[in-house]
Amino acid sequence: MTIRIVSFGYGHGPTPTADLVFDLRALLRNPFHNPELKHLTGLDQEVYDHVMTTPGAERLAFNAVATARGLAEDTGADVTIAWGCTGGRHRSVGLARASYELLRDVGDAVTIEHRDVDQDLLPAGVHNRTEPEPESIRYTADVVAMTPDGDVLLIERGWPPHEGAWALPGGHVDRGETAIEAAVRELAEETGVHVLASDLREIGVFDRPDRDPRGRYITAAYLAVVPAGTPILAGDDARTARWWPASSLPPLAFDHADILDQVPSHPQAPNPTDMLMVDLEGGRGGPLPGDIA
């Protein structure tokens, strides 16, 4: 059984395949910030001492080695420990050296590899641990489907968050889609109502940071005025779908009430001669009944 030790930098490539991975980016003194040490590496004794005299460094190395030895003994298999820091030149090299020496001193079979020790220094900003991580932003599209009389098409959500709550039809913009294309697709998938992109009018973009409990979601909202009596069929993420009078809507999930506030209670319908019924298969049928026109 051999214990393999690898040092690496997160800024120079993917994390190595390993049984134990230790992320040192927020731990231990970083020699990069010391002008006398930044151009050296953990192979130099000055850097090694700087890292290993950080409170907790020796204990961390010892516990990692003890865990790796226990895994090797219990499984009878080789074990890999990977130590990672920002650039793979200082802290990770120091901890890799320390764990290698502990194992070597007790006579265990051990190898060591410093994957990124010869890489160029990364920019200073990458090493600034106070710099916030980039925010992950997701893009969605929502549709206010209304009749000229003001009835609103809502879905009952079938999944968290807000499972069981009423909401506007909508969902994620898929790779390669525009927001309006996603709006057309989501409306059809969740309610069975098929429209064309040209049938939609943009309401606006809604980006309040706390609008979705899952994180930062930005949505583009669209209005679709459809004939009264347009058939609906719930599907995909929708448990049910139904028309609601705009004057008596249920409590809505997310910020969908804010979106509806931007829409007139009786939206102007397209020219009656242009309004067509929409069937569940996506076809556009005959003219509207006379009482709607």
Side-chain angles (χ1 to χ4, degrees):
M1 295 175 293
T2 299
I3 296 179
R4 177 173 174 256
I5 298 173
V6 181
S7 71
F8 71 97
Y10 285 93
H12 292 296
T15 303
T17 301
D19 304 287
L20 301 171
V21 179
F22 294 90
D23 184 349
L24 303 173
R25 286 176 292 181
L27 296 172
L28 314 183
R29 285 190 288 260
N30 187 356
F32 178 87
H33 298 299
N34 186 322
E36 297 179 359
L37 301 177
K38 68 183 297 182
H39 293 288
L40 303 176
T41 74
L43 298 177
D44 296 298
Q45 194 62 37
E46 303 97 312
V47 172
Y48 178 80
D49 292 341
H50 185 85
V51 171
M52 294 308 301
T53 54
T54 303
E58 289 188 358
R59 183 188 297 271
L60 183 59
F62 180 85
N63 288 340
V65 165
T67 302
R69 295 187 79 208
L71 279 174
E73 291 172 3
D74 291 345
T75 64
D78 294 344
V79 173
T80 299
I81 306 173
W83 297 97
C85 62
T86 304
R89 291 170 48 91
H90 300 121
R91 291 166 291 179
S92 62
V93 175
L95 267 293
R97 278 185 58 186
S99 52
Y100 173 83
E101 290 169 4
L102 286 169
L103 289 164
R104 183 197 58 192
D105 290 346
V106 296
D108 286 355
V110 58
T111 66
I112 189 168
E113 174 194 354
H114 300 298
R115 190 188 77 178
D116 299 317
V117 71
D118 294 323
Q119 296 278 3
D120 292 336
L121 287 170
L122 291 171
V126 178
H127 290 267
N128 185 357
R129 72 177 66 177
T130 64
E131 188 173 283
E133 291 291 324
E135 185 175 29
S136 177
I137 299 177
R138 296 169 178 84
Y139 191 26
T140 59
D142 291 301
V143 183
V144 177
M146 297 182 71
T147 68
D149 293 332
D151 288 344
V152 182
L153 180 57
L154 299 178
I155 63 162
E156 183 183 10
R157 288 181 57 82
W159 301 96
H162 302 301
E163 181 178 1
W166 291 93
L168 297 172
H172 289 87
V173 177
D174 288 344
R175 184 183 297 272
E177 277 188 321
T178 63
I180 199 167
E181 290 169 344
V184 169
R185 175 182 53 77
E186 288 286 348
L187 182 63
E189 291 175 353
E190 294 188 342
T191 71
V193 174
H194 294 260
V195 297
L196 300 177
S198 57
D199 296 327
L200 299 180
R201 285 180 266 168
E202 185 174 341
I203 300 170
V205 173
F206 296 80
D207 61 355
R208 198 178 70 207
D210 62 348
R211 63 179 302 275
D212 194 304
R214 294 168 294 184
R216 190 70 186 273
Y217 277 74
I218 295 176
T219 198
Y222 297 90
L223 172 66
V225 181
V226 299
T230 296
I232 57 178
L233 180 64
D236 195 33
D237 295 337
R239 185 178 295 168
T240 58
R242 60 166 286 192
W243 293 100
W244 289 79
S247 59
S248 58
L249 296 176
L252 298 181
F254 308 107
D255 60 349
H256 290 184
D258 295 336
I259 295 175
L260 276 169
D261 283 345
Q262 304 303 312
V263 180
S265 57
H266 294 280
Q268 182 180 359
N271 188 314
T273 61
D274 296 331
M275 290 182 67
L276 302 175
M277 294 295 291
V278 182
D279 63 30
L280 296 180
E281 285 71 41
R284 295 170 66 84
L288 294 177
D291 61 336
I292 296 178

